[in-house]
Short mmCIF file of all heavy atoms in Angstrom, two decimals:
data_model
loop_
_atom_site.label_atom_id
_atom_site.label_comp_id
_atom_site.label_asym_id
_atom_site.label_seq_id
_atom_site.Cartn_x
_atom_site.Cartn_y
_atom_site.Cartn_z
N TYR J 1042 -5.42 -4.49 -12.86
CA TYR J 1042 -5.38 -3.68 -14.10
C TYR J 1042 -6.28 -2.39 -14.00
O TYR J 1042 -6.44 -1.70 -15.00
CB TYR J 1042 -5.82 -4.49 -15.28
CG TYR J 1042 -4.85 -5.59 -15.57
CD1 TYR J 1042 -5.14 -6.94 -15.28
CD2 TYR J 1042 -3.60 -5.38 -16.12
CE1 TYR J 1042 -4.29 -7.96 -15.50
CE2 TYR J 1042 -2.64 -6.39 -16.35
CZ TYR J 1042 -3.03 -7.68 -16.05
OH TYR J 1042 -2.17 -8.71 -16.29
N THR J 1043 -6.77 -2.11 -12.81
CA THR J 1043 -7.74 -0.95 -12.68
C THR J 1043 -6.88 0.31 -12.69
O THR J 1043 -5.68 0.30 -12.30
CB THR J 1043 -8.55 -1.10 -11.39
OG1 THR J 1043 -9.44 0.05 -11.37
CG2 THR J 1043 -7.63 -1.03 -10.19
N ASP J 1044 -7.51 1.36 -13.12
CA ASP J 1044 -6.93 2.74 -13.10
C ASP J 1044 -7.20 3.46 -11.77
O ASP J 1044 -6.76 4.63 -11.57
CB ASP J 1044 -7.33 3.62 -14.32
CG ASP J 1044 -6.86 3.01 -15.62
OD1 ASP J 1044 -5.74 2.48 -15.64
OD2 ASP J 1044 -7.54 3.07 -16.64
N ASP J 1045 -7.97 2.87 -10.90
CA ASP J 1045 -8.36 3.37 -9.58
C ASP J 1045 -7.25 3.30 -8.65
O ASP J 1045 -7.10 2.36 -7.86
CB ASP J 1045 -9.70 2.67 -9.15
CG ASP J 1045 -10.17 3.35 -7.95
OD1 ASP J 1045 -9.55 4.21 -7.34
OD2 ASP J 1045 -11.36 3.02 -7.59
N LEU J 1046 -6.37 4.27 -8.68
CA LEU J 1046 -5.19 4.33 -7.68
C LEU J 1046 -5.57 4.47 -6.36
O LEU J 1046 -4.93 3.93 -5.38
CB LEU J 1046 -4.28 5.44 -8.13
CG LEU J 1046 -3.56 5.37 -9.45
CD1 LEU J 1046 -2.67 6.58 -9.71
CD2 LEU J 1046 -2.78 4.14 -9.63
N GLU J 1047 -6.75 5.07 -5.99
CA GLU J 1047 -7.26 5.20 -4.70
C GLU J 1047 -7.51 3.78 -4.07
O GLU J 1047 -7.15 3.47 -2.93
CB GLU J 1047 -8.52 6.09 -4.53
CG GLU J 1047 -8.30 7.51 -4.93
CD GLU J 1047 -7.82 8.27 -3.64
OE1 GLU J 1047 -7.75 7.71 -2.59
OE2 GLU J 1047 -7.49 9.50 -3.82
N LEU J 1048 -8.20 2.99 -4.85
CA LEU J 1048 -8.48 1.64 -4.44
C LEU J 1048 -7.25 0.82 -4.24
O LEU J 1048 -7.04 0.03 -3.27
CB LEU J 1048 -9.38 0.95 -5.49
CG LEU J 1048 -9.74 -0.56 -5.22
CD1 LEU J 1048 -10.49 -0.72 -3.88
CD2 LEU J 1048 -10.56 -1.07 -6.43
N LYS J 1049 -6.30 0.91 -5.20
CA LYS J 1049 -5.02 0.20 -5.10
C LYS J 1049 -4.27 0.58 -3.85
O LYS J 1049 -3.74 -0.23 -3.11
CB LYS J 1049 -4.17 0.44 -6.29
CG LYS J 1049 -4.53 -0.33 -7.50
CD LYS J 1049 -3.60 -0.20 -8.66
CE LYS J 1049 -3.84 -1.04 -9.88
NZ LYS J 1049 -2.93 -0.97 -10.94
N TYR J 1050 -4.23 1.90 -3.50
CA TYR J 1050 -3.59 2.40 -2.33
C TYR J 1050 -4.29 1.80 -1.04
O TYR J 1050 -3.71 1.23 -0.24
CB TYR J 1050 -3.60 3.87 -2.22
CG TYR J 1050 -3.01 4.36 -0.88
CD1 TYR J 1050 -1.60 4.65 -0.85
CD2 TYR J 1050 -3.77 4.53 0.25
CE1 TYR J 1050 -1.06 5.01 0.34
CE2 TYR J 1050 -3.15 4.87 1.48
CZ TYR J 1050 -1.74 5.13 1.43
OH TYR J 1050 -1.24 5.55 2.64
N ASP J 1051 -5.57 1.89 -1.05
CA ASP J 1051 -6.29 1.36 0.16
C ASP J 1051 -6.11 -0.09 0.38
O ASP J 1051 -5.92 -0.61 1.53
CB ASP J 1051 -7.89 1.54 -0.08
CG ASP J 1051 -8.22 3.03 0.01
OD1 ASP J 1051 -7.40 3.88 0.53
OD2 ASP J 1051 -9.33 3.43 -0.48
N LEU J 1052 -6.00 -0.98 -0.73
CA LEU J 1052 -5.84 -2.32 -0.61
C LEU J 1052 -4.40 -2.64 -0.10
O LEU J 1052 -4.12 -3.55 0.74
CB LEU J 1052 -6.07 -3.05 -1.94
CG LEU J 1052 -7.54 -3.06 -2.30
CD1 LEU J 1052 -7.65 -3.57 -3.77
CD2 LEU J 1052 -8.38 -3.99 -1.39
N ASN J 1053 -3.41 -1.93 -0.70
CA ASN J 1053 -2.02 -2.19 -0.27
C ASN J 1053 -1.89 -1.78 1.14
O ASN J 1053 -1.15 -2.43 1.95
CB ASN J 1053 -1.06 -1.36 -1.26
CG ASN J 1053 -0.74 -2.17 -2.52
OD1 ASN J 1053 0.12 -3.05 -2.47
ND2 ASN J 1053 -1.45 -1.90 -3.56
N HIS J 1054 -2.39 -0.62 1.53
CA HIS J 1054 -2.17 -0.12 2.97
C HIS J 1054 -2.92 -1.02 3.86
O HIS J 1054 -2.37 -1.21 5.00
CB HIS J 1054 -2.68 1.28 3.08
CG HIS J 1054 -2.28 1.90 4.38
ND1 HIS J 1054 -0.98 2.29 4.59
CD2 HIS J 1054 -2.94 2.21 5.52
CE1 HIS J 1054 -0.91 2.71 5.89
NE2 HIS J 1054 -2.06 2.72 6.46
N ALA J 1055 -4.10 -1.54 3.47
CA ALA J 1055 -4.86 -2.44 4.44
C ALA J 1055 -3.97 -3.72 4.62
O ALA J 1055 -3.94 -4.28 5.73
CB ALA J 1055 -6.19 -2.81 3.83
N LEU J 1056 -3.30 -4.17 3.55
CA LEU J 1056 -2.49 -5.35 3.68
C LEU J 1056 -1.30 -5.15 4.62
O LEU J 1056 -0.90 -5.90 5.43
CB LEU J 1056 -2.01 -5.86 2.33
CG LEU J 1056 -3.01 -6.71 1.56
CD1 LEU J 1056 -2.72 -6.74 0.12
CD2 LEU J 1056 -3.14 -8.17 2.17
N TYR J 1057 -0.67 -3.95 4.47
CA TYR J 1057 0.37 -3.55 5.41
C TYR J 1057 -0.16 -3.51 6.85
O TYR J 1057 0.53 -4.10 7.63
CB TYR J 1057 0.86 -2.04 5.05
CG TYR J 1057 1.45 -1.43 6.31
CD1 TYR J 1057 2.67 -1.75 6.73
CD2 TYR J 1057 0.74 -0.48 6.98
CE1 TYR J 1057 3.22 -1.11 7.93
CE2 TYR J 1057 1.15 0.18 8.14
CZ TYR J 1057 2.42 -0.20 8.61
OH TYR J 1057 2.95 0.38 9.77
N GLU J 1058 -1.29 -2.99 7.08
CA GLU J 1058 -1.79 -2.97 8.40
C GLU J 1058 -2.03 -4.43 9.02
O GLU J 1058 -1.85 -4.74 10.22
CB GLU J 1058 -3.14 -2.16 8.53
CG GLU J 1058 -2.91 -0.70 8.24
CD GLU J 1058 -4.16 0.13 8.51
OE1 GLU J 1058 -5.21 -0.34 8.08
OE2 GLU J 1058 -4.13 1.26 9.04
N GLU J 1059 -2.41 -5.31 8.11
CA GLU J 1059 -2.75 -6.67 8.60
C GLU J 1059 -1.34 -7.34 8.87
O GLU J 1059 -1.32 -8.10 9.87
CB GLU J 1059 -3.47 -7.42 7.51
CG GLU J 1059 -4.84 -7.04 7.32
CD GLU J 1059 -5.78 -7.43 8.47
OE1 GLU J 1059 -5.35 -8.13 9.40
OE2 GLU J 1059 -6.94 -6.92 8.59
N TYR J 1060 -0.35 -7.07 8.08
CA TYR J 1060 0.89 -7.84 8.21
C TYR J 1060 1.81 -7.07 9.26
O TYR J 1060 2.81 -7.69 9.77
CB TYR J 1060 1.66 -7.79 6.92
CG TYR J 1060 1.28 -8.91 5.96
CD1 TYR J 1060 0.78 -8.65 4.70
CD2 TYR J 1060 1.52 -10.21 6.36
CE1 TYR J 1060 0.40 -9.75 3.82
CE2 TYR J 1060 1.21 -11.23 5.54
CZ TYR J 1060 0.62 -11.01 4.35
OH TYR J 1060 0.39 -12.13 3.42
N GLN J 1061 1.58 -5.84 9.72
CA GLN J 1061 2.55 -5.08 10.48
C GLN J 1061 2.92 -5.75 11.84
O GLN J 1061 3.97 -5.62 12.32
CB GLN J 1061 2.06 -3.69 10.73
CG GLN J 1061 0.82 -3.52 11.57
CD GLN J 1061 0.51 -2.04 11.83
OE1 GLN J 1061 1.34 -1.24 11.84
NE2 GLN J 1061 -0.80 -1.78 11.96
N SER J 1062 1.98 -6.48 12.37
CA SER J 1062 2.24 -7.20 13.71
C SER J 1062 2.24 -8.73 13.40
O SER J 1062 2.14 -9.47 14.40
CB SER J 1062 1.22 -6.81 14.64
OG SER J 1062 -0.11 -7.25 14.27
N PHE J 1063 2.45 -9.09 12.19
CA PHE J 1063 2.33 -10.49 11.86
C PHE J 1063 3.55 -11.00 11.05
O PHE J 1063 4.04 -12.08 11.37
CB PHE J 1063 1.00 -10.62 11.00
CG PHE J 1063 0.43 -12.03 10.84
CD1 PHE J 1063 0.20 -12.87 11.89
CD2 PHE J 1063 0.32 -12.53 9.57
CE1 PHE J 1063 -0.27 -14.11 11.75
CE2 PHE J 1063 -0.25 -13.82 9.34
CZ PHE J 1063 -0.54 -14.64 10.51
N LYS J 1064 3.93 -10.27 10.09
CA LYS J 1064 5.10 -10.63 9.17
C LYS J 1064 5.71 -9.43 8.61
O LYS J 1064 5.12 -8.83 7.73
CB LYS J 1064 4.51 -11.55 8.10
CG LYS J 1064 5.66 -12.30 7.33
CD LYS J 1064 5.01 -13.30 6.32
CE LYS J 1064 6.19 -14.00 5.56
NZ LYS J 1064 5.59 -14.87 4.49
N TYR J 1065 6.90 -8.97 9.19
CA TYR J 1065 7.43 -7.68 8.84
C TYR J 1065 7.84 -7.59 7.38
O TYR J 1065 7.73 -6.51 6.84
CB TYR J 1065 8.63 -7.35 9.80
CG TYR J 1065 8.19 -7.18 11.20
CD1 TYR J 1065 8.93 -7.67 12.21
CD2 TYR J 1065 7.06 -6.35 11.48
CE1 TYR J 1065 8.53 -7.40 13.57
CE2 TYR J 1065 6.72 -6.08 12.79
CZ TYR J 1065 7.41 -6.62 13.84
OH TYR J 1065 7.03 -6.43 15.10
N ASP J 1066 8.39 -8.61 6.79
CA ASP J 1066 8.88 -8.50 5.40
C ASP J 1066 7.67 -8.18 4.48
O ASP J 1066 7.79 -7.45 3.51
CB ASP J 1066 9.76 -9.69 4.89
CG ASP J 1066 8.98 -10.97 5.11
OD1 ASP J 1066 7.91 -11.04 5.80
OD2 ASP J 1066 9.40 -11.99 4.47
N SER J 1067 6.63 -8.88 4.70
CA SER J 1067 5.35 -8.64 3.89
C SER J 1067 4.78 -7.29 4.20
O SER J 1067 4.38 -6.58 3.28
CB SER J 1067 4.32 -9.71 4.22
OG SER J 1067 4.70 -10.98 3.83
N ALA J 1068 4.82 -6.79 5.42
CA ALA J 1068 4.37 -5.44 5.79
C ALA J 1068 5.19 -4.41 5.03
O ALA J 1068 4.69 -3.45 4.50
CB ALA J 1068 4.47 -5.25 7.28
N TYR J 1069 6.50 -4.57 4.97
CA TYR J 1069 7.39 -3.69 4.34
C TYR J 1069 7.10 -3.63 2.81
O TYR J 1069 7.01 -2.48 2.14
CB TYR J 1069 8.86 -4.05 4.50
CG TYR J 1069 9.88 -3.16 3.89
CD1 TYR J 1069 10.11 -1.88 4.36
CD2 TYR J 1069 10.50 -3.56 2.77
CE1 TYR J 1069 10.99 -1.04 3.86
CE2 TYR J 1069 11.50 -2.73 2.09
CZ TYR J 1069 11.69 -1.38 2.69
OH TYR J 1069 12.63 -0.62 2.06
N PHE J 1070 6.84 -4.76 2.25
CA PHE J 1070 6.53 -4.86 0.78
C PHE J 1070 5.28 -3.98 0.44
O PHE J 1070 5.32 -3.21 -0.44
CB PHE J 1070 6.31 -6.38 0.31
CG PHE J 1070 5.80 -6.57 -1.03
CD1 PHE J 1070 6.68 -6.47 -2.06
CD2 PHE J 1070 4.47 -6.74 -1.26
CE1 PHE J 1070 6.23 -6.61 -3.38
CE2 PHE J 1070 3.95 -6.89 -2.60
CZ PHE J 1070 4.92 -6.83 -3.68
N TYR J 1071 4.23 -4.16 1.29
CA TYR J 1071 3.00 -3.38 0.93
C TYR J 1071 3.13 -1.94 1.35
O TYR J 1071 2.48 -1.09 0.73
CB TYR J 1071 1.78 -4.10 1.57
CG TYR J 1071 1.43 -5.42 0.97
CD1 TYR J 1071 1.74 -6.61 1.60
CD2 TYR J 1071 0.92 -5.47 -0.30
CE1 TYR J 1071 1.39 -7.85 0.88
CE2 TYR J 1071 0.69 -6.60 -0.90
CZ TYR J 1071 0.84 -7.77 -0.32
OH TYR J 1071 0.59 -9.04 -0.98
N ALA J 1072 3.93 -1.64 2.32
CA ALA J 1072 4.19 -0.22 2.72
C ALA J 1072 4.89 0.46 1.57
O ALA J 1072 4.55 1.60 1.23
CB ALA J 1072 5.05 -0.17 3.98
N LYS J 1073 5.88 -0.21 0.92
CA LYS J 1073 6.59 0.39 -0.20
C LYS J 1073 5.62 0.57 -1.38
O LYS J 1073 5.65 1.64 -2.02
CB LYS J 1073 7.76 -0.49 -0.59
CG LYS J 1073 8.93 -0.53 0.41
CD LYS J 1073 9.72 0.82 0.40
CE LYS J 1073 10.55 0.96 -0.80
NZ LYS J 1073 11.42 2.15 -0.67
N ASN J 1074 4.75 -0.36 -1.61
CA ASN J 1074 3.80 -0.30 -2.66
C ASN J 1074 2.82 0.92 -2.40
O ASN J 1074 2.51 1.72 -3.36
CB ASN J 1074 2.87 -1.52 -2.77
CG ASN J 1074 3.67 -2.66 -3.50
OD1 ASN J 1074 4.77 -2.50 -4.01
ND2 ASN J 1074 3.01 -3.83 -3.51
N SER J 1075 2.37 1.07 -1.14
CA SER J 1075 1.63 2.14 -0.85
C SER J 1075 2.27 3.51 -1.07
O SER J 1075 1.62 4.49 -1.56
CB SER J 1075 1.15 2.06 0.66
OG SER J 1075 0.46 0.86 0.90
N SER J 1076 3.57 3.62 -0.72
CA SER J 1076 4.32 4.85 -0.93
C SER J 1076 4.38 5.22 -2.37
O SER J 1076 4.26 6.36 -2.74
CB SER J 1076 5.67 4.65 -0.26
OG SER J 1076 6.42 5.88 -0.41
N TYR J 1077 4.62 4.22 -3.19
CA TYR J 1077 4.74 4.50 -4.65
C TYR J 1077 3.41 4.95 -5.20
O TYR J 1077 3.44 5.96 -5.92
CB TYR J 1077 5.10 3.17 -5.37
CG TYR J 1077 5.07 3.25 -6.85
CD1 TYR J 1077 6.02 4.04 -7.54
CD2 TYR J 1077 4.01 2.53 -7.55
CE1 TYR J 1077 5.94 4.05 -8.95
CE2 TYR J 1077 3.97 2.66 -8.92
CZ TYR J 1077 4.91 3.44 -9.60
OH TYR J 1077 4.85 3.46 -11.00
N ILE J 1078 2.30 4.38 -4.74
CA ILE J 1078 0.97 4.82 -5.21
C ILE J 1078 0.66 6.22 -4.71
O ILE J 1078 0.07 6.97 -5.43
CB ILE J 1078 -0.05 3.75 -4.85
CG1 ILE J 1078 0.22 2.42 -5.49
CG2 ILE J 1078 -1.50 4.25 -5.25
CD1 ILE J 1078 -0.62 1.21 -5.03
N ALA J 1079 1.00 6.48 -3.52
CA ALA J 1079 0.71 7.81 -2.87
C ALA J 1079 1.39 8.87 -3.64
O ALA J 1079 0.80 9.95 -3.88
CB ALA J 1079 1.12 7.85 -1.44
N HIS J 1080 2.67 8.60 -4.02
CA HIS J 1080 3.36 9.58 -4.88
C HIS J 1080 2.75 9.82 -6.21
O HIS J 1080 2.57 10.99 -6.61
CB HIS J 1080 4.87 9.02 -5.05
CG HIS J 1080 5.63 9.91 -5.98
ND1 HIS J 1080 6.15 11.15 -5.50
CD2 HIS J 1080 6.10 9.84 -7.22
CE1 HIS J 1080 6.86 11.78 -6.45
NE2 HIS J 1080 6.79 10.94 -7.44
N ARG J 1081 2.18 8.81 -6.83
CA ARG J 1081 1.48 8.91 -8.10
C ARG J 1081 0.17 9.74 -7.92
O ARG J 1081 -0.25 10.40 -8.82
CB ARG J 1081 1.18 7.58 -8.69
CG ARG J 1081 2.40 6.77 -9.24
CD ARG J 1081 1.98 5.42 -9.86
NE ARG J 1081 1.17 5.70 -11.03
CZ ARG J 1081 0.51 4.66 -11.65
NH1 ARG J 1081 0.55 3.49 -11.22
NH2 ARG J 1081 -0.21 4.99 -12.77
N LEU J 1082 -0.41 9.53 -6.73
CA LEU J 1082 -1.69 10.27 -6.47
C LEU J 1082 -1.49 11.74 -6.05
O LEU J 1082 -2.37 12.50 -6.11
CB LEU J 1082 -2.43 9.58 -5.31
CG LEU J 1082 -3.17 8.30 -5.61
CD1 LEU J 1082 -3.59 7.56 -4.36
CD2 LEU J 1082 -4.36 8.54 -6.53
N SER J 1083 -0.17 12.09 -5.71
CA SER J 1083 0.11 13.39 -5.17
C SER J 1083 -0.75 13.80 -4.00
O SER J 1083 -1.26 14.90 -3.82
CB SER J 1083 -0.06 14.45 -6.30
OG SER J 1083 0.84 14.13 -7.33
N ASP J 1084 -1.02 12.76 -3.13
CA ASP J 1084 -1.84 12.92 -2.00
C ASP J 1084 -0.95 13.07 -0.70
O ASP J 1084 -0.26 12.17 -0.33
CB ASP J 1084 -2.75 11.68 -1.84
CG ASP J 1084 -3.80 11.83 -0.75
OD1 ASP J 1084 -3.39 12.11 0.44
OD2 ASP J 1084 -4.94 11.58 -1.00
N THR J 1085 -0.97 14.27 -0.08
CA THR J 1085 -0.11 14.61 0.95
C THR J 1085 -0.36 13.62 2.13
O THR J 1085 0.63 13.12 2.74
CB THR J 1085 -0.29 15.97 1.44
OG1 THR J 1085 -0.15 16.88 0.36
CG2 THR J 1085 0.68 16.44 2.49
N ASP J 1086 -1.55 13.41 2.53
CA ASP J 1086 -1.89 12.57 3.75
C ASP J 1086 -1.42 11.11 3.48
O ASP J 1086 -0.80 10.47 4.35
CB ASP J 1086 -3.37 12.58 4.06
CG ASP J 1086 -3.80 13.88 4.73
OD1 ASP J 1086 -3.24 14.20 5.74
OD2 ASP J 1086 -4.61 14.59 4.18
N LYS J 1087 -1.66 10.62 2.29
CA LYS J 1087 -1.30 9.24 2.00
C LYS J 1087 0.29 9.13 1.93
O LYS J 1087 0.76 8.08 2.26
CB LYS J 1087 -1.96 8.72 0.72
CG LYS J 1087 -3.49 8.46 0.87
CD LYS J 1087 -4.03 7.91 -0.47
CE LYS J 1087 -5.41 7.40 -0.31
NZ LYS J 1087 -6.36 8.41 0.30
#
């Protein structure tokens, strides 16, 4: 419920990185979450 989108992005992307060589469907889920948050942040790098 935090408004800290930077933190939410970092946590979702970190989970993607953990899952990317471990479980692809979970990696994809967190990658999509990260993309949605990055769009809300209007952060080009993210």
